[in-house]
Amino acid sequence: MTSRLLQASLGSPDYDGIRDALRQDTSTEVLAVRGLSVRAAVLPLFKRDEGGALLQAVRLTLSGGGPVEVALKDGDAEIAAAAAEGGTVTLLVPEVDAPRRLTLEVRDSGGLVGAAPLDVAPQRKWNVFVVHHSHLDIGYTDTQGTVLRHHLDYLDAALRLARETDGRPDDARFRWSVESSMPALRWLATRPDDQVAEFAERARAGDIEVTAFPMQLHTEACSTEELYRQLRFVEQLRREHGIEVRSAMHTDIPGAVVGTVDALNAAGVRYLAAAHNWAGRSVPYITGGDRLARPFRWRSPGGGELIVWFTDTPHGMAYMEGNTVGLVDGYDLAEDLLPRYLGSLADRPYPYGPGTFGWYAAPGQVGAAKDPDFLDAVHLRVQGAHADNAGPSIVPADIAHRWNETWAYPRLRMATNADFFEYVEEHHGDRLQTHEGDWTDWWADGLGSGARPLGYVRRAQNVLRAAETLHALADERSGDRTGASAAIDEAYDRAALFDEHTWGAANPWEDAEEGGDSGGLQWTRKSQVGYQAHDDALDLLQAGARRIGATFGAAPDALASFLVVNPGTAARTDAARAFLPRDVVAVDVPIALVDARTGEPVPHREEEVDPDEWPTRPIGRHLEAVVPDVPGHGHVRVDVVRAEAGAPEPVDLGSGGTIENEFYRVVYDLREGHIASVFDKTAAASW
């Protein structure tokens, strides 16, 4: 986890530190006498008495002093009492429907030690949806292939645990949410038919949920087409296995581009659970996002909507919240921490106060104006261990089983991701705020660490659109379906694997062969898929060009003819580049280009491939010309004819340029590809 690095460099606390801060922040010292300190917390924890009436909890933490008896009185009547000798004791008092002042008395063998007033307030009756998943980092904790194989093992275990808890009460049955669908897709393709059938049946029954994204993507890096294609698996699961995909999960990554809303809607998905990593700048700030409640509607400019649950704890333990409050460690720890966490959610903008890594909503800070959660439900993610890529555990289900037998509220439910959203939509849908626009993801800053392969992927995204269009046009003209769509999907999938959010091993500077130190191996694999996507795109473009070119013939009186195709939808005037081999037209033969529509010459420039300089490449000349007004999804034939003289040498326009307005003057260097200087006219300063 990122926390391991931040712990040393930024002073982030360990789990014990976070938990101690939660205990301290949710209790108040009500009595301090003779070296004895008593802290009290009124918690949203309820039990029923023998007559069925609700009792609510007051938790006392004692330090110093010896054996005592603590009691709560309502006037002269003692309503709860217990013996204690340090540590924690929980007293149950009749539920209140308005704030009530009780009296805390502490006695020892010598009599009254001290007394203090204690205010007991009404508490919310929570429904806790425990969403068990594994955060898929394709890499980071281990090499990519190892990680993916482990996630397939986790699905074997999830099936087994679901089977073993079939006889339990519904809320305590093991349930599993497949956060990223790639492991499920691979699992379904490789397991025996009977296991596949059981998986599909449990998915249909709600024991297992497969969510929409195949991996955790930097949507900022994805092309629109790439993003939509990564959601094609939703239809595949529905068609081949009858598995309905109702929700998506985003983990580590704070946000997404607004086009994500429409892409998920197009796949039939209406719910998104997002949980970020260590950070304080993870809300949609631009339009007041720091005031958003944890559930909100996210609306696109086109009117599409998602219901979003954003686990926005400011210190960034968002996707480890269930682990933080003990839901994977054991019942006693969960009983200690979970009610404190829920009580804090009801009273504060964020559940943790000072003393926890990151910022918190102190007066005047960003987030301070946010209202506490208004729901009676909370979405708590839990992983089988305190780490990314952790496997499933029976412990959360065991805790839920024991908890619901012990307490009336809060109710714990082992839930799939979509279960929570359906509850929120039914019970609180009319109270949700709406956010419009982008939801900026600072995590994408990491893309800059791989500028070269990122550039290749960007070019691949552009080339793939053109290649797909050429193949579609060739299909239409020839009637020959070559199956290029599958190869295009594969190229987009490789681009997406590069755009996946895991940037480097836990310790990327190391070069081990396994584990979090396998930085060299992981980066080699990561960058390779980017380069391969680019190569695949160029292969597809070349094949598409040859296919559509073969459906046309050269002009009878031309030395050769080229077809200039516009893969876009609007008419376009742009530079076209083509290669004329020397075995078609010798390089010493002067040529001209002619627009077949008008018979007019098209000025061009030439670049010869010299066999002495490049003996390993095709010999001939590259031709470049600006072809005007090529219609959308249309083409223009350009003929090569003999000329009296060769093409003129291109004019050197220099390598620099300047753009400016009344505020700034920017000088850039085309040859080196960078900004040379920026001059601030107002401040009369440059940098």
Side-chain angles (χ1 to χ4, degrees):
M1 286 177 59
T2 308
S3 58
R4 290 187 293 131
L5 302 180
L6 291 172
Q7 208 166 325
S9 61
L10 298 179
S12 65
D14 57 15
Y15 276 96
D16 289 339
I18 295 171
R19 291 162 174 171
D20 286 343
L22 181 60
R23 294 184 184 101
Q24 196 75 8
D25 295 340
T26 56
S27 62
T28 303
E29 187 176 67
V30 293
L31 186 65
V33 60
R34 299 185 197 172
L36 172 69
S37 172
V38 181
R39 299 183 68 86
V42 180
L43 300 175
L45 191 58
F46 296 87
K47 186 176 286 190
R48 295 193 184 275
D49 64 16
E50 293 179 358
L54 283 175
L55 305 173
Q56 67 181 85
V58 177
R59 183 163 290 163
L60 304 175
T61 303
L62 292 77
S63 58
V68 296
E69 182 179 88
V70 293
L72 287 173
K73 289 187 171 183
D74 187 359
D76 293 330
E78 183 177 282
I79 57 175
E85 185 174 0
T88 299
V89 61
T90 300
L91 301 180
L92 297 173
V93 302
E95 180 189 15
V96 301
D97 56 10
R100 176 172 294 184
R101 175 157 289 187
L102 304 180
T103 300
L104 169 68
E105 289 187 355
V106 180
R107 296 179 179 273
D108 63 11
S109 58
L112 183 67
V113 175
L118 194 155
D119 293 327
V120 176
Q123 297 295 305
R124 192 176 302 178
K125 298 176 179 67
W126 289 90
N127 295 284
V128 179
F129 290 77
V130 181
V131 179
H132 197 352
H133 73 113
S134 178
H135 171 44
L136 177 64
D137 275 334
I138 305 181
Y140 195 72
T141 63
D142 219 318
T143 57
Q144 289 93 332
T146 300
V147 164
L148 288 168
R149 285 187 290 274
H150 286 167
H151 274 263
L152 269 64
D153 292 340
Y154 298 161
L155 292 177
D156 293 331
L159 266 185
R160 183 173 61 254
L161 292 173
R163 195 181 305 125
E164 290 173 358
T165 60
D166 276 342
R168 288 187 180 182
D170 188 62
D171 284 349
R173 289 171 54 188
F174 178 89
R175 288 186 172 88
W176 181 257
S177 293
V178 184
E179 174 215 78
S180 303
S181 63
M182 178 184 287
L185 294 163
R186 294 191 176 194
W187 190 95
L188 290 166
T190 57
R191 292 304 189 262
D193 289 345
D194 59 336
Q195 293 182 31
V196 170
E198 181 185 2
F199 183 99
E201 178 56 35
R202 291 196 176 272
R204 291 191 291 268
D207 296 335
I208 293 174
E209 180 184 3
V210 182
T211 64
F213 289 120
M215 63 195 87
Q216 300 300 292
L217 288 164
H218 283 308
T219 56
E220 291 82 354
C222 296
S223 67
T224 301
E225 179 73 13
E226 177 187 336
L227 181 59
Y228 276 76
R229 281 178 184 266
Q230 288 307 297
L231 293 167
R232 73 187 188 276
F233 303 111
V234 170
E235 175 57 30
Q236 178 185 336
L237 288 166
R238 183 181 298 119
R239 183 181 64 252
E240 296 181 5
H241 302 286
I243 297 174
E244 295 293 333
V245 177
R246 300 177 291 163
S247 73
M249 297 181 77
H250 230 192
T251 310
D252 256 358
I253 309 163
V257 296
V258 71
T260 304
V261 179
D262 293 330
L264 286 170
N265 283 175
V269 175
R270 297 170 45 243
Y271 307 135
L272 171 64
H276 64 81
N277 204 305
W278 297 91
R281 50 193 178 107
S282 308
V283 296
Y285 286 118
I286 302 304
T287 56
D290 59 304
R291 297 172 183 261
L292 281 171
R294 291 175 119 192
F296 61 88
R297 295 185 188 276
W298 185 16
R299 183 176 297 158
S300 74
E305 281 190 353
L306 294 173
I307 296 179
V308 178
W309 172 262
F310 182 43
T311 310
D312 58 349
T313 50
H315 64 292
M317 283 301 293
Y319 66 96
M320 290 286 182
E321 276 195 310
N323 294 61
T324 306
V325 298
L327 287 172
V328 79
D329 291 305
Y331 179 85
D332 291 341
L333 186 62
E335 190 180 71
D336 173 21
L337 295 172
L338 179 58
R340 297 180 186 274
Y341 173 83
L342 296 174
S344 186
L345 276 182
D347 295 333
R348 303 178 181 184
Y350 300 97
Y352 297 94
T356 304
F357 170 79
W359 54 271
Y360 78 105
Q365 287 188 341
V366 171
K370 176 178 173 177
D371 293 328
D373 274 9
F374 61 85
L375 301 184
D376 62 357
V378 64
H379 181 290
L380 271 184
R381 297 186 182 209
V382 66
Q383 299 192 72
H386 299 276
D388 300 325
N389 292 321
S393 168
I394 194 60
V395 172
D398 286 346
I399 291 174
H401 194 193
R402 180 178 170 187
W403 187 290
N404 292 337
E405 290 181 337
T406 306
W407 301 102
Y409 295 101
R411 297 297 298 174
L412 267 60
R413 174 173 174 78
M414 293 300 297
T416 61
N417 191 53
D419 286 344
F420 169 79
F421 286 98
E422 290 176 347
Y423 180 90
V424 169
E425 191 168 28
E426 178 182 353
H427 293 86
H428 304 286
D430 58 346
R431 302 178 63 190
L432 302 182
Q433 298 166 278
T434 298
H435 171 70
E436 296 181 338
D438 272 344
W439 180 0
T440 308
D441 169 18
W442 63 266
W443 191 273
D445 294 355
L447 291 164
S449 66
R452 174 175 286 171
L454 175 62
Y456 274 75
V457 171
R458 290 292 200 199
R459 290 195 289 272
Q461 292 164 345
N462 182 56
V463 170
L464 281 168
R465 287 182 63 85
E468 184 177 17
T469 302
L470 291 179
H471 281 283
L473 293 173
D475 287 346
E476 183 179 354
R477 286 187 59 85
S478 67
D480 175 22
R481 307 290 173 175
T482 64
S485 60
I488 291 168
D489 280 343
E490 290 173 5
Y492 272 115
D493 290 348
R494 289 191 178 94
L497 277 168
F498 182 81
D499 293 335
E500 189 266 349
H501 80 296
T502 308
W503 283 84
N507 299 314
W509 49 85
E510 300 291 350
D511 197 22
E513 292 193 348
E514 62 181 2
D517 289 338
S518 56
L521 283 174
Q522 290 191 41
W523 180 243
T524 298
R525 181 78 175 271
K526 180 78 166 177
S527 55
Q528 186 270 334
V529 293
Y531 295 135
Q532 188 63 53
H534 181 253
D535 257 356
D536 291 349
L538 292 177
D539 290 345
L540 286 160
L541 183 70
Q542 183 188 62
R546 296 300 186 273
R547 285 189 64 219
I548 193 170
T551 65
F552 291 83
D557 54 349
L559 300 174
S561 293
F562 292 103
L563 196 68
V564 178
V565 179
N566 177 4
T569 57
R572 182 174 171 185
T573 297
D574 210 336
R577 185 176 173 88
F579 180 71
L580 184 62
R582 70 174 178 184
D583 56 352
V584 174
V585 179
V587 294
D588 57 354
V589 174
I591 61 167
L593 303 182
V594 175
D595 188 328
R597 295 172 297 183
T598 64
E600 296 295 322
V602 180
H604 76 283
R605 62 178 293 269
E606 299 181 5
E607 181 182 355
E608 183 181 348
V609 180
D610 191 315
D612 293 330
E613 295 179 6
W614 289 102
T616 59
R617 293 190 175 184
I619 305 303
R621 45 187 153 171
H622 292 284
L623 311 177
E624 193 168 17
V626 175
V627 182
D629 301 321
V630 183
H633 286 173
H635 58 271
V636 172
R637 196 185 78 227
V638 175
D639 297 322
V640 180
V641 299
R642 188 180 292 271
E644 295 297 326
E649 291 295 321
V651 176
D652 186 359
L653 299 177
S655 61
T658 301
I659 53 175
E660 62 182 309
N661 59 18
E662 63 268 34
F663 303 108
Y664 295 100
R665 180 169 63 250
V666 179
V667 178
Y668 54 89
D669 189 318
L670 288 173
R671 192 180 310 279
E672 297 297 326
H674 61 72
I675 293 175
S677 68
V678 178
F679 183 79
D680 186 330
K681 296 181 179 180
T682 304
S686 62
W687 60 89

